[in-house]
Amino acid sequence: MKVTLEADGQPGPVVLTLHPVDAGQEVPAEVTNRPGRFLAPPKLTDFWRLQPNHLRDQQLARIPVEGVIGVRLRSLAQPEVVLNRESGAWSLKRFGKQEPGNQERIQALLDGLNGTQVRAFVTDNVTANLGPTASISLSWKSNGSPRRAPACFSSDRANKE
């Protein structure tokens, strides 16, 4: 196996060559920016088992929580809820009525979304028909960006796995 790395300060790519061995054996290795041959620990053979999805970002969302000023929750089972933050305090609008929001729970919602790990990469095609439509759709608006970015979650799919 060859692993090619590019790094600032290097005149060119660095190529690490790993030679195949039986499980549990040290791995013969060579590196283009260093003369010699080396033996690396058996754990290095984990490279052979890596798949592209193993190297992908496993975090579901990267919401800039400190800059979020609005959240819209749409659900197939519940009425739409709109959350707005002004002067640091959250309020919610539901059934056309504005009222104070639960600051801790809203923060926990945003933190929870940022802390959720991807269980599987189903497809990279966002237009693919994957069956049931999302049961919850979330969009947010940040101070630095007026555009909205939707995130969809389907409880039907999650319960099947």
Side-chain angles (χ1 to χ4, degrees):
M1 170 183 271
K2 289 189 182 222
V3 179
T4 303
L5 307 159
E6 294 186 27
D8 290 336
Q10 292 292 322
V14 175
V15 179
L16 170 66
T17 303
L18 306 174
H19 299 281
V21 294
D22 291 329
Q25 291 185 335
E26 292 180 321
V27 181
E30 300 163 18
V31 185
T32 57
N33 69 342
R34 187 174 178 192
R37 298 187 94 190
F38 310 94
L39 284 178
K43 182 151 181 63
L44 200 57
T45 59
D46 290 347
F47 273 125
W48 279 284
R49 290 191 291 276
L50 283 177
Q51 299 295 318
N53 281 344
H54 295 147
L55 303 173
R56 293 176 77 170
D57 185 357
Q58 300 293 313
Q59 191 170 338
L60 178 63
R62 292 195 181 276
I63 302 168
V65 175
E66 60 285 341
V68 173
I69 58 172
V71 177
R72 180 180 306 268
L73 299 163
R74 293 186 181 106
S75 168
L76 297 175
Q78 300 290 326
E80 180 178 88
V81 175
V82 177
L83 305 169
N84 290 301
R85 180 162 51 181
E86 290 185 30
S87 302
W90 286 99
S91 64
L92 78 102
K93 185 176 183 180
R94 187 173 156 182
F95 301 117
K97 180 183 170 192
Q98 195 82 18
E99 59 186 275
N102 183 317
Q103 309 303 305
E104 291 80 23
R105 284 193 177 170
I106 295 169
Q107 187 65 44
L109 166 71
L110 295 172
D111 292 342
L113 290 172
N114 276 340
T116 298
Q117 297 293 301
V118 171
R119 288 182 23 199
F121 292 94
V122 179
T123 181
D124 290 323
N125 180 356
V126 295
T127 62
N129 182 358
L130 299 177
T133 58
S135 59
I136 298 173
S137 174
L138 166 76
S139 61
W140 64 91
K141 185 168 55 172
S142 295
N143 283 329
S145 172
R147 70 182 187 87
R148 295 172 190 260
C152 298
F153 309 90
S154 175
S155 60
D156 294 337
R157 182 173 269 56
N159 290 335
K160 290 181 184 176
E161 294 182 1

